[in-house]
Amino acid sequence: MPQHTQRSATTSQHIETFARAVCDRVLSTAPTRISVRRNTVDGIAVARECLELAIAIVDSPEHPARVLDVERAAQEWARDGITIDTILDTLHDGVRIGIDLLAAGDRSGHEPALDTAAIAVRGSLGDADATHLALRVLHTMTTAITRAYVRHAQTATPTRHTIEQTLASALLTGHDTTMARRHGIDIAEEYLVLALAFRRVEPAPPGVDTRVLARRPLSAVHAELARRYRDTALPALSIDGGTVLLPSTGTDDSELESLITDLSATAELSVTAVALSSATSEIPATDVFAHELLDLTHRLGLPPGVYRFADLALEFQLTRPGPGLDRLSALLDPLDTHPELLDTLRCHLANNLNRQRTAHTLRLHTNTIDYRLKRIARLTGLDITRVTDLWYIRSALVAHDDR
């Protein structure tokens, strides 16, 4: 509703302030309760979700978006190793403390910023009965959190993972798959072979249990696949990547883009994927080809994302062994002793020959970019401003980087 959008925008800072105050008081009563990473952030997240859910309940009895946010947050807490009793205890303490802070008689002596935030939050809640609203929030939050933890437990069951891994390995190697029928899994006639490469976005924060850190990304990937595809996705993955077999029906380009985006966000990984359709009988050969293309994206320094064969057909053909490849690659050999020129060339092509963007990316003056491009032309005999030379330069760079 427009009213809800406007009110949420004006009180978002107050909600954050109030949530931090609730979190501080919860942690002060049980400072060792949340012992995994992001303890303060997780506590604030619980408090914030409660407040925003309460406002959503007041505005409308239907609030599926807020419940989905709660479930996603709870799935992350489960993957981080926070036990459900810890979360539920924190939730109940937070609601109790929140009610105390909202009570007019209990705010005397608090800092002014908290007083202002409490007044704003109370204004957002309107005339709703505090006890009734608290019970509804607790019921909704408890149900959503429990559902998320149950789903996480189901997807994390070693037996289920073993079955899926074994079946995926059988399909990838062309071995017998009769075990699928014994476990109630239907083998499709066609799959989307998804070759994946994972890379951590950020280094491990200090004080983090490395065992949790090692398990979490892969567990997050499995949980997201289970959430989206239930029992139809067959992953064969390690911490560095691997292959996932997805049902071809219903998995279009937009779905793939959404999947990779969500995997990157939930697992905190940089994800590169190559997707190829394959008949079930041809999965082994398709998997080999998909990973060959995935390696090509790495060698050429292509950004993370989803690639189909159509996206890599030219690069693939240009990197086939033979005299043509050697000849193309040799065109840029004069730049081997000038790495700054090669970097400039790559950046300029990536910026679609826009001098200003190239200069901004490299933090150089446009005159310096012009000078370097002229040096490239003198050394290689290829002028990037000529259409025919540009085609050779692009092709030669692919061949050179793949060497």
Side-chain angles (χ1 to χ4, degrees), residues 131-211:
T131 302
H132 178 69
L133 187 59
L135 289 174
R136 286 194 63 185
V137 169
L138 283 173
H139 171 75
T140 303
M141 291 280 287
T142 301
T143 300
I145 290 169
T146 303
R147 184 163 51 237
Y149 269 77
V150 169
R151 184 178 297 127
H152 172 76
Q154 290 172 339
T155 59
T157 301
T159 302
R160 184 65 190 180
H161 278 179
T162 300
I163 294 169
E164 292 176 348
Q165 289 267 130
T166 303
L167 182 55
S169 297
L171 288 168
L172 291 169
T173 56
H175 287 107
D176 181 64
T177 59
T178 54
M179 62 166 293
R181 288 195 297 273
R182 294 199 303 270
H183 296 282
I185 300 176
D186 294 326
I187 301 294
E189 294 183 0
E190 185 175 286
Y191 281 93
L192 194 66
V193 179
L194 195 63
L196 297 170
F198 302 146
R199 183 175 60 82
R200 285 202 60 82
V201 176
E202 297 177 355
V208 176
D209 187 338
T210 56
R211 293 171 298 177

Side-chain angles (χ1 to χ4, degrees), residues 273-285:
V274 170
L276 300 177
S277 296
S278 174
T280 301
S281 60
E282 298 173 359
I283 284 177

Side-chain angles (χ1 to χ4, degrees), residues 173-374:
T173 56
H175 287 107
D176 181 64
T177 59
T178 54
M179 62 166 293
R181 288 195 297 273
R182 294 199 303 270
H183 296 282
I185 300 176
D186 294 326
I187 301 294
E189 294 183 0
E190 185 175 286
Y191 281 93
L192 194 66
V193 179
L194 195 63
L196 297 170
F198 302 146
R199 183 175 60 82
R200 285 202 60 82
V201 176
E202 297 177 355
V208 176
D209 187 338
T210 56
R211 293 171 298 177
V212 173
L213 191 64
R215 291 194 306 266
R216 186 181 182 278
L218 197 54
S219 177
V221 169
H222 281 287
E224 182 63 22
L225 289 171
R227 184 184 72 82
R228 283 175 171 267
Y229 301 102
R230 302 301 179 187
D231 297 330
T232 58
L234 300 174
L237 298 170
S238 70
I239 190 62
D240 298 316
T243 302
V244 177
L245 302 178
L246 299 175
S248 291
T249 55
T251 308
D252 55 16
D253 288 345
S254 61
E255 166 68 14
L256 278 178
E257 293 284 351
S258 173
L259 171 63
I260 298 306
T261 299
D262 287 350
L263 288 181
S264 299
T266 59
E268 298 178 2
L269 294 171
S270 170
V271 181
T272 303
V274 170
L276 300 177
S277 296
S278 174
T280 301
S281 60
E282 298 173 359
I283 284 177
T286 304
D287 181 55
V288 171
F289 186 41
H291 279 275
E292 184 178 351
L293 293 175
L294 187 62
D295 290 341
L296 180 62
T297 67
H298 176 72
R299 295 199 304 272
L300 297 181
L302 299 181
V306 185
Y307 295 89
R308 296 275 196 168
F309 180 59
D311 303 318
L312 301 168
L314 178 61
E315 290 83 353
F316 175 77
Q317 194 60 42
L318 289 173
T319 54
R320 295 305 87 198
L325 176 66
D326 296 337
R327 171 61 181 150
L328 277 175
S329 179
L331 291 175
L332 298 184
D333 281 353
L335 304 184
D336 284 343
T337 55
H338 304 278
E340 76 285 357
L341 298 184
L342 273 172
D343 289 343
T344 301
L345 183 59
R346 291 190 188 95
C347 184
H348 198 46
L349 291 172
N351 284 315
N352 202 24
L353 307 185
N354 186 302
R355 293 165 57 251
Q356 285 74 24
R357 284 207 297 265
T358 301
H360 177 74
T361 302
L362 296 177
R363 298 183 179 181
L364 297 171
H365 195 277
T366 52
N367 289 344
T368 304
I369 300 300
D370 291 337
Y371 170 74
R372 289 186 177 184
L373 294 176
K374 289 176 181 177

